[in-house]
Structure formats: structure tokens, C-alpha cells
Amino acid sequence: MNIKLLLSSSFIVLGFFAGAQDANSSFAITGKGAGDFQWVNIRQVNVKTGTIEKTIYDNASNATTTAFSPGTNKVVQAPVMGYGVAAAAYDKIHNRLYFTQMHYGVLSYVDLSKKEPVFNFAGALVQRNDGTFLQEESHITRMVIGADGNGYGITNDGNHLIRFTTGKKAVITDLGNLVDAESNKGISVHNKCSSWGGDMIADAYNKLYIISANHNIFTVDVDTRVATHIGTITGLPANYTTNGAAVDADGAIVVSSANTFEGYYKFKINDFAAVKIEGSDITYNASDLANGNLLLQKEADA
């Protein structure tokens, strides 16, 4: 059921806009700055320069929405961003920013084409049959819109690859668990230390790429669910977790950290050597990045 979330009168939006302005514009889920680690704000960032362009949603008002509680028919008031968001995906066809709250597993989206901001409830990605929070392994921390126009989310533990459609009524399908490729040499996509968290991007050939918080990169074949470890990012500070990822207009992968305030880094998929984007923002950490760019798009076009 597609249920519109009714915003409270205290909802604050600064500089709301209709879609990304250029290919380097991205969305970032951030804290409020000054050492804050609650990722409940939405900002627009230029991933080429790493600079914040504007604020889309400011959670300072603790705005709430009206929605059905997952697993029940009870109508409840819930924070727009829950108690933290670590997964978002930009649907450029419908001009929507999809996201899910870590503790709830609820899929929502912001309609960016309206003059006034509208948040919508699209369904439950992870079922909760009681009122408790999801356990950490079931948090959706990686999300992207694939080349086929569908959205994909993956739980921390890799046991649920979830696909959702982006039309008028979302159809949500749990495709099952990821399967480690034989070539992974002991680096499992299910391992908490090496492979949980992070973000996900997609390429023009409908392949998904998990970039784990601990710098490991896996490709995921949507049809077979096989996850293949292809490398580890180098050149990052020791305490820099890779929590957000997006593709810039030149085809480089830009990453952000939710754990540090050391700006943005970028690397190419063919060498994994990260370099700092000089002058990038150090005020806000970012738990997720999302834009409409696909990896290897120029190669596919050629």
C-alpha cells in the first residue's frame, strides 16, 4: 500500500529543489555538524568538489509523520528519518530520493518534483512482527537504483537482497541471500568485520557494487546473487570508514565517512587507489551518498 506521510507543521526544509542540478550533484545523509553522529539530515553535495551546496531537509524540528507501523495496522507517529538513515537511492526518472531508517526497515521517499516537500511511505523492506527495533544484522545500509530502474537494498549481513519497483505502487521482493564467489579467498560478503555497512552503486550493465565500511568492494550479479570480491580501497586514513558512495560525472567513485570529518575521497574502479578531494567539506560526516549516475556509463554508451 502506498501511503502518504502527513508532515507536521514543524517540518523544516531549506532550499528545497526539483532534482539534481548537474551530473555532479548528489544527496548526502548527514549529521548536524560539530561532531554529531545522528544521520537524519538531507543535504545536496557536489561530489566533484566535495562541497555542500544546500540543505534539503533539516531535522532540527524533530518533525514526525503519520504512517502504519510495519507488521500491524496501527497508525503511529514516527520521526521522518527515524533514529538514523544509512541507505538512500536517487530515482532520477521519478525525481525521488528513496531511503530507509535503520531500526525500522521502512522504505520511504521524498518527492522532489513538488513545490512543497512530500514524504511518502512505500512499504516495509524488512518485516517486523512486533514493536522492537531491527537487530543490526537486519539493518538496510546499502541501497541504489539499478540500470533496470529498480531499487535494490542489502542488509548488513548480506542475507537479504531486496528489490523494489519505483512506480506508483512499490512492489517489494526479497530475492534471497548473497552467495560468496569461489574466488573470494576467505573474504566473505557476510563477514561483519570485513563486509558489513557501507554503500552501494550500480553500473550501466545492471551489476551492483557493494563498498563495505571496511573498504572492501564486491560486485553482485542480481540474477545469481553471487557476490565477488574484486579489491580493497587503499590510501584512506586508518579510521576512515567508507559509508557513502556515488559516481561523479567523470566516472570516478566518491566516498564519504560517517565516522570521521576528513572530507571526501575518490578512486577509479580499475585501481582502487583513493585520493582526497582537496577542499572538500569537513563540517558534516555522511552516512550515505546517492545520485543518478551509473558506473561505466561512458563505456556502455561507446
Side-chain angles (χ1 to χ4, degrees):
M1 183 182 301
N2 191 8
I3 303 168
K4 182 178 291 186
L5 301 182
L6 304 177
L7 301 180
S8 70
S9 59
S10 59
F11 180 45
I12 297 177
V13 171
L14 303 177
F16 204 83
F17 73 112
Q21 295 176 346
D22 60 57
N24 283 313
S25 286
S26 180
F27 299 95
I29 308 298
T30 79
K32 63 182 179 182
D36 179 60
F37 291 92
Q38 190 176 14
W39 308 295
V40 290
N41 299 283
I42 305 174
R43 307 186 197 278
Q44 181 184 340
V45 60
N46 185 305
V47 290
K48 185 71 173 178
T49 62
T51 54
I52 300 295
E53 295 177 333
K54 61 181 70 175
T55 296
I56 306 303
Y57 168 67
D58 188 334
N59 196 59
S61 64
N62 294 317
T64 60
T65 64
T66 302
F68 285 122
S69 177
T72 74
N73 291 320
K74 183 180 179 181
V75 177
V76 297
Q77 286 294 118
V80 170
M81 304 292 284
Y83 295 98
V85 169
Y90 177 59
D91 173 15
K92 64 180 180 181
I93 294 178
H94 300 99
N95 201 15
R96 298 171 177 172
L97 181 68
Y98 284 87
F99 64 90
T100 181
Q101 305 94 339
M102 288 185 289
H103 298 91
Y104 298 131
V106 173
L107 180 67
S108 303
Y109 66 87
V110 189
D111 189 342
L112 301 172
S113 64
K114 306 295 185 181
K115 291 183 179 180
E116 297 295 332
V118 177
F119 280 65
N120 293 273
F121 169 68
L125 291 180
V126 181
Q127 292 296 328
R128 291 189 303 133
N129 295 321
D130 53 35
T132 61
F133 285 158
L134 292 172
Q135 296 298 308
E136 184 182 6
E137 63 269 18
S138 297
H139 290 178
I140 301 287
T141 53
R142 293 78 69 98
M143 184 183 290
V144 73
I145 304 297
D148 60 1
N150 292 313
Y152 294 90
I154 298 177
T155 54
N156 262 334
D157 60 11
N159 286 334
H160 300 275
L161 170 61
I162 301 169
R163 180 178 62 205
F164 59 90
T165 60
T166 58
K168 185 175 182 180
K169 181 178 180 180
V171 177
I172 299 172
T173 306
D174 190 337
L175 300 176
N177 63 295
L178 298 182
V179 179
D180 283 310
E182 293 182 1
S183 61
N184 284 4
K185 299 180 180 179
I187 303 178
S188 172
V189 74
H190 302 285
N191 183 273
K192 182 176 182 178
C193 294
S194 65
S195 310
W196 285 25
D199 200 359
M200 190 158 57
I201 59 175
D203 71 16
Y205 303 98
N206 209 41
K207 186 176 290 185
L208 309 179
Y209 293 70
I210 295 174
I211 300 173
S212 78
N214 204 27
H215 312 164
N216 287 296
I217 303 177
F218 299 83
T219 61
V220 176
D221 185 296
V222 173
D223 296 323
T224 65
R225 307 192 314 280
V226 170
T228 304
H229 183 258
I230 61 171
T232 303
I233 307 170
T234 61
L236 295 171
N239 61 342
Y240 193 101
T241 53
T242 43
N243 303 101
V247 179
D248 71 13
D250 297 324
I253 300 171
V254 176
V255 292
S256 64
S257 178
N259 192 49
T260 67
F261 296 82
E262 298 191 35
Y264 293 78
Y265 283 73
K266 66 178 180 179
F267 65 94
K268 291 288 189 178
I269 195 61
N270 58 356
D271 64 11
F272 310 119
V275 295
K276 187 171 184 177
I277 300 177
E278 296 299 334
S280 58
D281 177 74
I282 59 173
T283 301
Y284 304 103
N285 57 3
S287 65
D288 203 81
L289 298 175
N291 65 18
N293 297 337
L294 295 172
L295 190 66
L296 305 178
Q297 184 66 67
K298 292 181 179 179
E299 290 80 353
D301 291 342

